[in-house]
Amino acid sequence: MSRHFQYDALVIGSGAAGLTLALNLPAALRIAVLSKGDLANGSTYWAQGGVAAVLDNSDTVESHVADTLDAGGGLCNEEAVRFTVEHSREAIHWLIEQGVPFTRDEADREAGSFEYHLTREGGHSHRRIIHAADATGAAIFNTLLSHAHDRSNIDLLQQRVAVDLITERKLGLPGGRCVGAYVLDRTTGEVDTFQAKFVILATGGAAKVYLYTSNPDGACGDGIAMAWRAGCRVGNLEFNQFHPTCLYHPKAKSFLITEALRGEGAVLKLPNGERFMPRFDSRAELAPRDIVARAIDHEMKRLGIDCVFLDISQKPTAFIKHHFPTVYERCLEFGIDITKEAIPVVPAAHYTCGGVLVDQAGRTDIPGLYAIGETSFTGLHGANRMASNSLLECFVYARAAAQDILAELPSVGSPPLLPTWDASQVTDSDEDVIIAHNWDELRRFMWDYVGIVRTTKRLVRAQHRVRLLLAEIDEFYSNYKVSRDLIELRNLAMVADLMIRSAMSRKESRGLHFTLDFPEQRPDPIDTILVPPTYGD
């Protein structure tokens, strides 16, 4: 039997952005935080590098802004960049107040002070990455989750998969607000109704659309797809960041080798030991991720090799084990001792730079609906996200959205009573092989045709295939009971279509979008904004 829940705020997603927003709302509000698997299944937990922020006296807001604008390929919204960077210090101080165990600087500790260790990553001109060894995401997530558990007004609900948003427009009511969501409870198989004054999408990105990705299984673009179906615009979805260095091993599923290794002196080599990055960029291994990923892709295709190698073995063993314990232990599980030998690596889909259009408070086109974190398109990243700016964006915009919700709360009345999910016309499926086949086909042609290097011909082929898949999925969705696999496939195919449409409309190469048919960069940088058929209804 499906159930009906009522909350002040419904947060869909339990990562850094979702938990930060929930913890920045007052204890008087009833808040639900949904996770479609276990709470730690999101990308936050696995983030290794850290959070970029202006913390050192030798660093400046202007320098961080300039670095971000440079990495963004001329497409960053400078107002959004400045807003994010100017609020970076207070966001980090909030995390420290929560008790996040960031790594201290040993030299300063010996001198009697307690400053934090800052590292440097690609695209940054200063050391400004605060971190907790090489497991920053886990340290942040565990700290925030502990606080959320301690708050009696926050319900942390696992195994809940959001199916679709509920808006007043869909109900045929005036006003146009988002008033809740239909949510599959995987433990019962029923779709429950969640009613809320405010709905926040914090569902992460869509890197799972690619065959090879550093992301966990849940990164299926759910929030982007739901917002699009509800009538929200999306932007810059052609810019999909490929992390240059993921561990290449048949048993190492989605293990990322943090960029901080290159920040501390690791170099990329070919199988013969030759270093190649200086041939592609004067910044060598510290060039922005798009340049490094394309260079690796170029060398792999030129030589017909399966991977390249990342070598930090020239550093002292104690240094490596202290700064990169997670990478050291994980590689050792696969017989790779990074203190003595190079790590086999390949690029993999990592971050979705585009998403749902929002303002500086995280507000979407629909009143009452917010999008934060990787789900959103704030304008911060432009055509290429600079390392460690993403977690910063989560904290800054989550806190801004919480403040906006608090300000809006007095003017928002109780939502209308929502209808329950209608499953009377569907049956149990005995054809789940279709879902599995379509899932594999989608991710493979996205990797082959809409990957690191693109052509118009490849994009046209991808668009033809995705349109056929969308029709098949829609027919399946209309006739059978929903499951997590079906919901994710439906969302992933929709976001893939939006990515392809965005890529086809950009007749240039810029940042993460590189096409052989238009290799030059146009002088007039413009965002790619897609408008849904229901926008403004």
Side-chain angles (χ1 to χ4, degrees):
M1 178 71 69
S2 62
R3 295 168 293 174
H4 190 284
F5 299 91
Q6 274 193 301
Y7 288 93
D8 294 302
L10 172 64
V11 183
I12 305 175
S14 61
L19 290 176
T20 297
L21 184 137
L23 291 171
N24 276 272
L25 290 175
L29 299 186
R30 290 201 65 222
I31 304 164
V33 177
L34 307 185
S35 174
K36 65 179 181 178
D38 295 334
L39 287 167
N41 277 3
S43 294
T44 296
Y45 185 85
W46 302 103
Q48 296 175 19
V51 189
V54 179
L55 300 168
D56 188 80
N57 290 335
S58 66
D59 198 5
T60 64
V61 167
E62 293 304 323
S63 176
H64 192 168
V65 168
D67 290 345
T68 302
L69 294 175
D70 181 58
L75 265 189
C76 294
N77 179 319
E78 186 168 352
E79 187 178 341
V81 174
R82 192 166 295 278
F83 172 78
T84 307
V85 174
E86 286 177 346
H87 289 83
S88 64
R89 184 185 291 264
E90 66 186 53
I92 297 301
H93 285 170
W94 179 79
L95 290 170
I96 292 172
E97 289 171 3
Q98 305 310 302
V100 176
F102 291 118
T103 299
R104 305 278 185 170
D105 192 293
E106 292 298 326
D108 284 338
R109 178 182 294 179
E110 292 171 4
S113 65
F114 289 92
E115 293 300 314
Y116 292 93
H117 181 265
L118 302 176
T119 190
R120 182 182 171 194
E121 294 180 352
H124 291 276
S125 59
H126 288 76
R127 283 182 172 266
R128 63 167 68 101
I129 316 301
I130 189 169
H131 62 100
D134 62 346
T136 308
I140 291 173
F141 175 81
N142 288 333
T143 302
L144 299 183
L145 183 63
S146 175
H147 285 288
H149 275 303
D150 291 341
R151 291 268 298 266
S152 60
N153 68 311
I154 298 176
D155 291 341
L156 299 168
L157 305 176
Q158 301 184 95
Q159 308 298 331
R160 301 302 211 287
V161 185
V163 181
D164 259 325
L165 299 171
I166 306 171
T167 63
E168 290 176 329
R169 180 186 63 80
K170 285 185 178 179
L171 300 176
L173 301 173
R177 285 187 68 84
C178 182
V179 290
Y182 291 116
V183 178
L184 171 67
D185 183 341
R186 296 180 65 201
T187 62
T188 66
E190 298 290 339
V191 176
D192 298 324
T193 305
F194 279 74
Q195 189 164 331
K197 295 178 180 178
F198 300 93
V199 178
I200 302 93
L201 297 171
T203 56
K208 203 67 180 178
V209 76
Y210 289 103
L211 185 62
Y212 301 112
T213 174
S214 66
N215 284 206
D217 286 340
C220 299
D222 300 313
I224 298 170
M226 287 190 291
W228 173 263
R229 288 194 293 267
C232 293
R233 293 170 297 165
V234 298
N236 285 9
L237 283 171
E238 68 270 36
F239 298 115
N240 301 289
Q241 187 175 69
F242 290 79
H243 196 288
T245 55
C246 283
L247 179 61
Y248 178 74
H249 191 281
K251 295 182 180 179
K253 184 179 180 181
S254 304
F255 185 70
L256 180 149
I257 305 299
T258 173
E259 187 159 349
L261 264 82
R262 285 180 280 133
E264 295 294 346
V267 294
L268 285 161
K269 296 179 178 179
L270 298 175
N272 65 2
E274 175 192 346
R275 189 179 174 198
F276 60 90
M277 274 311 302
R279 288 194 274 112
F280 291 89
D281 194 280
S282 61
R283 292 164 290 187
E285 280 79 10
L286 289 178
R289 288 176 175 175
D290 61 322
I291 295 173
V292 179
R294 276 203 302 275
I296 295 173
D297 183 69
H298 178 272
E299 291 300 290
M300 288 172 59
K301 289 176 177 174
R302 180 177 72 88
L303 297 172
I305 54 179
D306 293 327
C307 65
V308 297
F309 296 87
L310 183 67
D311 193 356
I312 198 171
S313 63
Q314 75 278 11
K315 288 284 188 178
T317 296
F319 175 91
I320 294 171
K321 290 182 178 179
H322 174 71
H323 284 275
F324 306 109
T326 305
V327 175
Y328 172 75
E329 293 292 341
R330 185 65 169 156
C331 287
L332 209 56
E333 291 177 15
F334 300 108
I336 304 165
D337 184 347
I338 69 173
T339 67
K340 298 177 181 177
E341 58 190 315
I343 309 166
V345 294
V346 292
H350 183 59
Y351 190 86
T352 309
C353 286
V356 183
L357 260 69
V358 297
D359 63 12
Q360 284 185 3
R363 290 179 292 209
T364 70
D365 291 323
I366 298 176
L369 179 65
Y370 294 73
I372 52 177
E374 196 174 349
T375 305
S376 68
F377 168 51
T378 64
L380 170 64
H381 306 302
N384 183 23
R385 175 182 75 96
M386 190 167 68
S388 292
N389 268 353
S390 51
L391 277 175
L392 176 63
E393 182 184 45
C394 287
F395 305 125
V396 169
Y397 277 85
R399 283 161 57 82
Q403 292 174 9
D404 192 74
I405 288 171
L406 196 55
E408 290 286 321
L409 189 62
S411 63
V412 179
S414 297
L417 186 63
L418 305 182
T420 57
W421 179 261
D422 183 7
S424 60
Q425 303 299 313
V426 296
T427 61
D428 288 317
S429 169
D430 58 358
E431 296 287 350
D432 284 355
V433 65
I434 297 172
I435 297 176
H437 176 82
N438 286 356
W439 178 275
D440 291 340
E441 181 182 357
L442 173 68
R443 297 180 67 212
R444 188 168 294 279
F445 75 64
M446 284 296 290
W447 180 263
D448 291 339
Y449 297 152
V450 200
I452 296 172
V453 177
R454 301 161 178 176
T455 66
T456 301
K457 187 174 183 179
R458 293 175 193 170
L459 292 175
V460 169
R461 287 185 175 183
Q463 187 174 58
H464 174 69
R465 285 304 310 144
V466 81
R467 295 290 167 85
L468 291 175
L469 283 183
L470 283 169
E472 290 179 13
I473 294 164
D474 185 59
E475 188 270 338
F476 198 95
Y477 181 81
S478 300
N479 289 288
Y480 297 108
K481 288 183 178 179
V482 294
S483 64
R484 172 173 174 169
D485 286 346
L486 177 57
I487 294 166
E488 289 185 335
L489 176 63
R490 180 185 182 224
N491 290 335
L492 211 58
M494 176 162 285
V495 175
D497 182 49
L498 296 174
M499 288 178 175
I500 296 164
R501 288 169 56 183
S502 299
M504 291 180 73
S505 69
R506 186 165 292 280
K507 309 297 185 184
E508 64 166 350
S509 289
R510 183 184 297 273
L512 300 166
H513 173 74
F514 185 81
T515 169
L516 296 176
D517 292 313
F518 302 97
E520 302 301 319
Q521 185 170 292
R522 293 176 56 175
D524 53 334
I526 55 172
D527 292 322
T528 302
I529 308 298
L530 300 183
V531 182
T534 55
Y535 175 71
D537 283 2

